[in-house]
Amino acid sequence: TATPPVQMCTVPKLVDRSILEYTSVWRNAGFTGNINASGTGWTVKSQSLTPNTTVPCSSSISVTLGW
């Protein structure tokens, strides 16, 4: 049996998004993986995946929050 092709999604820019926005932006880009947030604050200051790169839609991302 053939393996189904891996769904690919384009990483959105989450930096500068508020804590209220980044989850919906991630999901609306087609991702099903987790968002692992660390730090304190209301704004995404960094993200582990480079924006505008293409990765499997099942990928998870880490974000650092700050002020």
Side-chain angles (χ1 to χ4, degrees):
T1 24
T3 305
V6 174
Q7 286 275 96
M8 300 298 282
C9 292
T10 301
V11 177
K13 180 184 176 211
L14 300 180
V15 172
D16 296 329
R17 294 282 187 173
S18 80
I19 198 169
L20 303 174
E21 296 177 305
Y22 71 81
T23 300
S24 61
V25 171
W26 180 247
R27 297 287 174 233
N28 289 341
F31 285 94
T32 58
N34 293 328
I35 300 173
N36 303 306
S38 62
T40 57
W42 287 94
T43 306
V44 176
K45 294 300 180 184
S46 66
Q47 64 186 74
S48 61
L49 298 175
T50 305
N52 298 316
T53 56
T54 303
V55 298
C57 294
S58 60
S59 298
S60 294
I61 192 168
S62 295
V63 297
T64 302
L65 301 174
W67 297 105

